[in-house]
Amino acid sequence: MGVIAQALLRWYDKHARDLPWRVRPSARAAGVRSDPYRVWLSEIMLQQTTVAAVIPYFERFTTRWSTVEALAAAEDAQIMAEWAGLGYYARARNLLACARAVASKGGRFPDTEAGLRDLPGIGAYTSAAIAAIAFDRPAVVVDGNVERVMARLHAFESPLPAAKPALYALAERHTPKARPGDHAQAVMDLGATICTPRRPACGVCPVMPACAGRKAGIADRLPAKTPKKPKPIRYGIAYLAYSADGRVFLQRRPERGLLGGMLGLPGTDWSETPPRPAPPFRAKWRPVGEVRHSFTHFHLVLSVAVARVGATHGFVKPELTSLPTVMRKAVAMGLSAFQNVG
């Protein structure tokens, strides 16, 4: 095992973050193994999302569905409702598909990267993370934190995303055959708590003596990144129909596409030019303003129109249903408009 890997593991043994899906180093040393289900669930939830945002979702999911078989038996709508607000809803659909695939094979996850990649929603990073953390396979686990640590440690100045293969090779060089799961989590913890994007705490870094970026005085500006193109803006209209007894009209979105399978307000398509009005039914629709929301590839400007109508099929209490964030914003604006006019 290399000097850097040794230093990282010594640091991790003392300073590992306490996370609900993680087996602490002391427990692993005593023979406690990670639960592949919890490792897989956390890794899917953590894709493009922060640890702080994921923890309450993870705890709710594992309380309600404590095994992969239990999750596989859940209804699609239940999963989508619990996932609401976490974003990137294709992950939720893949989560359920993967759970059902694993459950159909006896509830056991494959213990190799290749086997894991055959499951729905599991790519190169996620398969490596599960293989290393859950099964102690010497897989190379590289996320944004690891890329930052490697770029700084080696003063690697080529910009992302083109630098990804080279940073992967550097991470592979340091990945030990012993305790690869703890090593992977150590590097990620280092990036999350010490080797942070801004103002890295180099003075307490366990690999500071070997850090070429610090020696060159460029650590805080690594990794370099190619400037991103501005996100395009799309426009849409959402229609909030509100009944006298406090219910709103919701529809389930098509399974495929953005926010697929989620409940939401009826409305127009989202396009690069403001759309023509297309209310779901005849009513006295009144525009009340706009909500704005950013997705991965575009910004959305969603106009909200409201109408008070008699309740019919499809009307529900808004506080009793889970909605994606952009729809929550639209409902909140519409309900506020009703309250303001009495």
Side-chain angles (χ1 to χ4, degrees), residues 16 23 29 34 47 56 76 91 93 121 149 177 217 231 234 242 266 275 279 293-294 299 302 307 337:
V23 174
S34 297
Q47 292 171 8
D76 293 40
R91 292 181 299 159
R93 295 192 292 274
V149 170
K177 293 183 179 179
K231 288 183 182 181
R234 295 183 186 177
Y242 185 75
H293 189 76
S294 292
H299 300 295
L302 191 63

Side-chain angles (χ1 to χ4, degrees), residues 45 56-57 60-61 64-65 77-86 262 322 328:
M45 288 184 167
Y57 284 88
R60 287 201 301 272
F61 264 74
R64 188 169 183 179
W65 302 292
Q78 292 176 317
I79 299 298
M80 300 306 291
E82 285 291 350
W83 192 275
L86 195 55
M262 301 293 293
S322 297
R328 292 182 187 179

